[in-house]
Structures are given as C-alpha cells and as structure tokens.
Amino acid sequence: MFDSLSDKLVSAFDKIRGKGSLSESDIASAMKEVRLALIDADVALDVVKKFIDDITLEAKGQQITKSIKPDQMVFKIVQDKLTDLLGGKNAENTIKLSSPPSSIMLVGLQGSGKTTSAAKMGLMLKGSGKKVLLASLDVQRPAAMEQLQILGDQTNIDVLPIEKSQGPVEITKRSHQLAKLSGYDVVILDTAGRQVVDQDLMKELIEIEKFFKPQETLLVADALTGQDAANVAKSFSEAVNITGSILTRIDGDSRGGAALSIKSITNSPIKYIGVGEKIDNFESFHPER
C-alpha cells in the first residue's frame, strides 16, 4: 500500500533537494508534483486541494534552521500532513464496546467485502476473549446468509439462525434478543449492499440504525476502487453515523487513494484493514506507518 505514491513523492522532492533555500516558486513547483502524485493515486480532488493548500501555507510560514535542509523540512511537513490525513499518530483505531451486548453494524456496497470482514472481525474479537454473534441482514443477495454461516462454521463463531421469511429489521431485533438471552458480548450485523448506492438501501440502514443504535457503524470499502470509495463514503456518511472504516484488499493497492480520501470525507478513522484473503488477514490500521 502507498508504494506507488511513495515513489512519486520522492521524485517530487528531487527537484528541490540540495538547495540552500527555497523560494515560493520552488515550493509551488514541488507542490505541483505532489498534487499530480495524489491525483494519480486516485485521491478525491477536494481532498487533494485542501491538502496542497495546507502544506503550501505551512511550508511558506516555516523558519528554516541551519540544522535542517529545506527539502527535508518540506518532506517532513508532507509526511506529517499525510499521517494527519489518515487519522494522526494517536488515532483511535479500536472499536468502542459498551456493556454487553455491544453492537457493530457493517455497511457498504455489494462486493466490498462486508461478509468476510464480519467474520474476520468476529475472529479477532473472539481472540480477545469476547463471545461474538454474527447476523446477516442481507435478504437481497442470493446465498448471502449461507455465506456468513459457512464463515461462522470455519471460525467457530455463532451465527444467528436463518429465517428466510424475516426482513432486516426483524432479523436485527431477533439478533439483539438472542444476544441478551445468551450472554453475547458483541453482535456484528452484516447489512445488505447494492452494486450502486440507492434510496432503498439507505432507508433500510436508517431504520436498522434507529432500532439497533449501534456503538459502531463501520463502512467497509474496497481499497482498489480509489476515488469511487470516496464517493461511496460520502453517500453513506450522509445517511448514517459512520464511526470508522474498514478497508479491504489493501494487499492489492499500491496507490492508497481510497485510504487518503475516506477518512477526510467520513470524518472518522480507518480502524481496520484487510491484508489478504485468509480469515486471519485482518489488523488494526496505524496511520504513522
């Protein structure tokens, strides 16, 4: 992740490396290259503009000390701003759990990896000693519920029994009742997705959120979709209270555009990343890395 962007940023600073001082035109030239690198990484244009404006303002206002070369100073500003854009060095990248049963709702488009992420998160929580219940609310996609059941069997995590006659809200109520009666610590809801954002999907999520009042609503986004992930993030965050994000297929993404856009647009941290296809390829996200 970020390999391609890193290479382009290094090239951008080659033009100012070794200079004893930097003029405004030097900074402008370097920022033009940074801007092109971010656009090539498929970062949302609004995010790019604000990022470049912030860096330019700070670079012009910095006092150069004899112990720091100008190119190193600008490089550090860019690095710090990138870290901030991803959530900051002390980002809150863990989920918040309340008194049992805590509730987590996963939202996102069809194909983003919600179902697999539900199982991966369940396995991670189980490893920390939590009793987890998985529940599929996807009554739209054929075999979606069965897919979650298979993943639950593979990870030895309980899955809410399937009742085909129920809708998403009824399933949500049943999962909550079972969690209370059976002493589960966490309920993870795998909501339905669509191939595109539509009004029916959003109405469904709003209704579920209203009843379930989840401690966490995590947007699951495919890192390979780049700027499209930013557009999806905007749509979902306007409908429900997104508290964090999970980026999937990070292992296949060398550009990082989705990661750099999504935190800024949802105003919530990237909490977890999927780093491979195996069920345990799931970890906390650390912006400073």
Side-chain angles (χ1 to χ4, degrees):
M1 185 180 177
F2 298 123
D3 292 344
S4 176
L5 178 59
S6 295
D7 291 343
K8 286 182 171 63
L9 289 175
V10 169
S11 296
F13 290 111
D14 282 343
K15 296 183 178 182
I16 59 172
R17 185 168 287 117
K19 292 199 172 189
S21 62
L22 292 181
S23 65
E24 287 196 13
S25 63
D26 290 329
I27 294 173
S29 177
M31 290 307 101
K32 180 181 178 182
E33 295 298 322
V34 172
R35 180 177 181 274
L36 291 173
L38 292 171
I39 290 173
D40 188 63
D42 216 7
V43 180
L45 294 179
D46 288 349
V47 176
V48 173
K49 184 180 185 305
K50 186 178 186 306
F51 184 77
I52 295 299
D53 289 347
D54 288 347
I55 293 172
T56 302
L57 185 64
E58 186 164 341
K60 288 179 180 178
Q62 284 281 353
Q63 296 294 320
I64 308 295
T65 64
K66 291 182 179 179
S67 61
I68 302 176
K69 295 179 180 178
D71 59 298
Q72 292 175 339
M73 180 205 72
V74 178
F75 192 92
K76 186 176 188 307
I77 291 172
V78 172
Q79 185 178 37
D80 289 346
K81 289 291 183 184
L82 281 172
T83 303
D84 290 343
L85 189 61
L86 289 168
K89 292 181 180 178
N90 299 311
E92 182 55 62
N93 61 0
T94 56
I95 54 176
K96 295 180 177 66
L97 300 179
S98 64
S99 55
S102 294
S103 50
I104 301 169
M105 183 167 75
L106 303 188
V107 303
L109 290 185
Q110 185 175 312
S112 61
K114 286 193 309 300
T115 301
T116 304
S117 294
K120 286 182 174 183
M121 176 178 285
L123 184 62
M124 180 193 68
L125 291 170
K126 180 184 174 185
S128 65
K130 303 296 181 185
K131 185 178 180 182
V132 180
L133 176 67
L134 303 175
S136 174
L137 309 187
D138 192 347
V139 298
Q140 302 290 331
R141 182 168 60 90
M145 292 180 170
E146 288 79 3
Q147 182 189 359
L148 187 63
Q149 182 64 62
I150 291 169
L151 290 169
D153 292 342
Q154 290 176 355
T155 53
N156 198 26
I157 297 171
D158 292 339
V159 180
L160 185 73
I162 298 171
E163 288 189 18
K164 292 287 189 178
S165 61
Q166 291 187 328
V169 174
E170 287 74 25
I171 298 170
T172 301
K173 291 178 181 178
R174 185 159 56 91
S175 69
H176 205 59
Q177 289 166 353
L178 178 60
K180 283 185 175 181
L181 289 172
S182 302
Y184 286 94
D185 297 303
V186 184
V187 181
I188 300 176
L189 292 181
D190 176 23
T191 67
R194 304 285 194 280
Q195 291 186 344
V196 294
V197 174
D198 63 29
Q199 287 188 341
D200 289 340
L201 171 61
M202 293 309 174
K203 285 178 182 177
E204 185 177 291
L205 294 177
I206 290 168
E207 192 173 0
I208 295 166
E209 182 185 53
K210 184 178 179 180
F211 170 77
F212 202 57
K213 295 180 176 61
Q215 276 72 51
E216 296 276 0
T217 298
L218 303 180
L219 174 66
V220 182
D222 185 339
L224 294 177
T225 58
Q227 192 167 162
D228 283 343
N231 298 329
V232 169
K234 186 174 185 296
S235 297
F236 277 93
S237 61
E238 287 173 349
V240 292
N241 179 35
I242 301 297
T243 60
S245 300
I246 298 172
L247 283 183
T248 60
R249 296 210 287 179
I250 285 290
D251 53 313
D253 176 34
S254 66
R255 299 190 299 171
L260 287 165
S261 302
I262 207 165
K263 191 271 173 186
S264 177
I265 289 169
T266 63
N267 197 31
S268 61
I270 300 168
K271 297 203 173 188
Y272 301 102
I273 51 176
V275 294
E277 294 183 3
K278 293 182 179 179
I279 201 69
D280 59 349
N281 291 155
F282 190 78
E283 59 188 51
S284 295
F285 180 70
H286 300 278
E288 70 276 9
R289 293 181 185 176

